[in-house]
């Protein structure tokens, strides 16, 4: 098996193929649960993979950075004894939608940046991602096509699978993907011209299947030019419950907070958990001063990190992959497309703003 090559895996052989993969690494894949919901879980048996799961409401970033984790333990009774965490297991993440593959890249870029997060970076390095291209938008809220993040990938995958019905087209994109596929190579066959034609037809149909759009380009211009009146941010944020669901469900959001948890016998645990820029305490300083003291400013911050030229310059892509989770998860319709539409309307039909590319966030 080589990077750049494409193979065919017969659907009835998929359980055997991924069972072989699971002999070499932890298998994480979508499974249908009691009650009908589907989501990613650690699986013992590859036959449980649900290839028609649609969309996991919870992002795969939890396999890079768990919602709550203990970083290490120490004793503070006069001598310092550190107990570091166990090294991450090699993992195959199977069936990841293209938007979430792009989100993993963005999160990985953050964790491997100037202040390197060794734990999250190592987890990503030890993860092989089997992307599953979307043959249609998995749900009404999806708009990855507006963010150039789906419904299928041109590059950046270890393996990209396309469901052709009775078989999967398997595009191998990296050495990691090739190594993960190699033990099951006897189950892979060469593709035919008809397989590529079917894939091209499915891609055309997928591109035409979206119901939700987001004015990303227009919003990027407005936000980057800092042309949105403060009152517009405040009006938009007026209905926010400050629950943090939008950022916790977002596969691209990476913020966390760190704290100490005392245990018995003088042992102390250094922990971290996901945090949200939509919560008032996120930027509150020890003095009590909060530089983002209104929900409007917190919404402005969130959108700057999602949709601005500065973000694109830094990361090479917007900070949104159009997964639609903030649309589905917000009780008050402050998902990203609704906010961008509100911003567009708040500026009205005046002249287009002159764009200066902000080097950093607007001063608060
Ligand atoms: S901002 Fe919303 S749509 Fe975009 S990646 Fe995050 S959760 Fe998904
Ligand atoms: S999910 Fe909606 S209500 Fe909750 S913090 Fe985000 S914008 Fe506010």
């Amino acid at each position: 098996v080589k990077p750049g090559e494409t193979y065919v895996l017969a659907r009835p052989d998929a359980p055997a193929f991924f069972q072989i993969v699971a002999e070499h690494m932890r298998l994480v894949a979508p499974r249908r649960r009691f009650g009908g919901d589907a989501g990613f879980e650690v699986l013992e048996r590859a036959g449980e993979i649900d290839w028609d799961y649609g969309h996991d409401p919870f992002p795969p970033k939890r396999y890079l950075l768990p919602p709550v984790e203990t970083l290490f333990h120490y004793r503070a009774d006069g001598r310092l004894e550190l107990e570091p965490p166990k090294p991450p297991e090699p993992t195959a993440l199977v069936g990841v939608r293209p938007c979430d593959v792009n989100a993993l890249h963005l999160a990985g870029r953050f964790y491997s940046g100037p202040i390197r997060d060794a734990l999250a970076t190592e987890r990503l390095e030890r993860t092989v991602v089997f992307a599953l291209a979307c043959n249609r938008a998995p749900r009404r809220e999806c708009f990855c096509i507006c963010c150039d993040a789906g419904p299928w990938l041109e590059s950046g995958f270890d393996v990209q699978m396309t469901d052709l019905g009775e078989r999967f087209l398997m595009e191998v994109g990296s050495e990691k993907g090739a190594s993960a596929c190699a033990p099951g190579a006897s189950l892979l066959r060469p593709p035919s011209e008809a397989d590529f034609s079917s894939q091209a037809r499915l891609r055309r149909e997928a591109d035409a299947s979206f119901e939700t759009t987001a004015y990303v380009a227009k919003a990027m211009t407005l936000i980057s030019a800092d042309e949105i009146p403060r009152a517009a941010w405040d009006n938009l944020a007026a209905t926010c419950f400050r629950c943090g669901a939008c950022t916790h469900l977002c596969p691209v959001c990476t913020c966390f907070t760190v704290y100490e948890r005392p245990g018995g016998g003088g042992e102390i645990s250094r922990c971290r958990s996901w945090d949200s820029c939509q919560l008032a305490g996120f930027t509150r300083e020890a003095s009590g001063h909060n530089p983002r003291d209104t929900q409007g400013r917190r919404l402005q911050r969130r959108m700057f990190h999602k949709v601005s030229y500065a973000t694109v310059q830094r990361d090479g892509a917007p900070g949104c992959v159009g997964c639609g989770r903030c649309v589905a998860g917000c009780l008050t319709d402050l998902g990203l497309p609704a906010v961008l539409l509100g911003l567009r309307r708040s500026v009205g039909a005046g002249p287009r703003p002159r764009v200066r590319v902000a080097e950093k966030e607007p001063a608060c």
Side-chain angles (χ1 to χ4, degrees):
V1 181
K2 292 188 192 145
E5 300 277 325
T6 301
Y7 304 87
V8 165
L9 174 66
R11 198 179 190 97
D13 290 337
F17 180 85
F18 284 101
Q19 199 62 51
I20 295 170
V21 171
E23 285 169 16
H24 299 85
M25 53 186 80
R26 181 173 69 143
L27 179 67
V28 178
R31 186 172 80 87
R32 188 72 50 181
R33 300 176 185 132
F34 180 77
D37 289 345
F40 279 73
E41 290 178 15
V42 178
L43 299 184
E44 295 295 327
R45 292 184 295 122
E48 290 184 294
I49 300 175
D50 181 351
W51 296 108
D52 301 312
Y53 77 103
H55 194 78
D56 185 343
F58 303 105
K61 70 178 180 184
R62 64 191 188 273
Y63 295 103
L64 274 192
L65 190 81
V68 181
E69 75 174 333
T70 301
L71 298 172
F72 54 83
H73 304 284
Y74 63 92
R75 301 184 66 81
D77 53 359
R79 57 208 163 94
L80 193 62
E81 271 178 41
L82 282 177
E83 189 193 324
K86 295 190 186 104
E89 282 180 76
T91 298
L93 261 182
V94 178
V96 183
R97 294 300 184 187
C99 58
D100 285 335
V101 175
N102 278 305
L104 285 171
H105 284 305
L106 288 168
R109 199 178 162 94
F110 171 80
Y111 292 124
S112 61
I115 304 173
R116 187 172 180 273
D117 185 314
L119 207 50
T121 304
E122 205 179 326
R123 283 191 188 119
L124 190 57
E125 283 169 358
R126 306 197 78 184
T127 298
V128 184
V129 179
F130 287 79
L132 181 60
C134 294
N135 289 350
R136 58 190 151 73
R139 57 184 184 170
R140 193 175 53 82
E141 295 90 347
C142 298
F143 59 97
C144 60
I145 197 161
C146 303
C147 304
D148 197 20
W152 35 270
L153 298 164
E154 296 283 4
S155 61
F157 51 84
D158 295 319
V159 180
Q160 176 166 238
M161 304 174 66
T162 304
D163 185 350
L164 300 180
E166 283 308 300
R167 59 209 180 283
F168 293 100
L169 203 61
M170 310 277 286
E171 299 167 80
V172 180
S174 72
E175 287 289 350
K176 256 199 308 189
S179 302
C181 290
S186 62
L187 295 170
L188 300 174
R189 305 272 175 267
S192 67
E193 280 304 314
D195 292 325
F196 288 116
S197 302
S198 298
Q199 185 195 38
R201 177 180 53 76
L202 288 169
R203 286 183 171 185
R204 282 195 300 277
E205 289 172 6
D207 284 349
S209 71
F210 287 84
E211 295 178 48
T212 296
T213 52
Y215 295 103
V216 173
K218 174 77 174 178
M220 197 174 289
T221 302
L222 295 172
I223 291 170
S224 302
D226 199 9
E227 289 285 339
I228 314 284
R230 184 141 291 166
W233 290 110
D234 289 336
N235 284 341
L236 275 166
T239 57
C240 176
F241 289 115
R242 307 163 195 196
C243 66
C246 48
T247 49
H248 285 158
L249 292 175
C250 179
V252 184
C253 285
T254 42
C255 290
F256 58 83
T257 188
V258 176
Y259 53 95
E260 316 283 304
R261 191 171 58 202
E267 185 176 275
I268 299 172
S269 302
R270 170 76 54 86
C271 305
R272 67 174 163 184
S273 59
W274 292 355
D275 203 354
S276 170
C277 60
Q278 298 308 285
L279 305 181
F282 186 78
T283 47
R284 191 165 46 230
E285 297 166 5
S287 67
H289 170 67
N290 193 339
R292 295 195 178 85
D293 57 349
T294 67
Q295 202 58 29
R297 290 185 180 195
R298 294 192 272 274
L299 180 63
Q300 181 183 15
R301 175 196 174 94
R302 178 176 144 222
M303 288 301 127
F304 187 89
H305 280 248
K306 296 291 165 204
V307 183
S308 70
Y309 289 132
T311 299
V312 174
Q313 276 183 328
R314 188 191 62 193
D315 296 336
C320 169
V321 294
C323 73
R325 289 185 179 95
C326 59
V327 183
C330 179
L331 292 174
T332 181
D333 197 21
L334 286 174
L336 188 125
V339 174
L340 299 193
L341 183 60
L343 294 178
R344 191 175 196 255
R345 288 183 176 155
S346 74
V347 174
R352 286 180 77 90
R354 189 174 59 82
V355 178
R356 68 177 160 74
V357 176
E359 292 291 322
K360 51 186 183 174
E361 293 175 51
C364 289

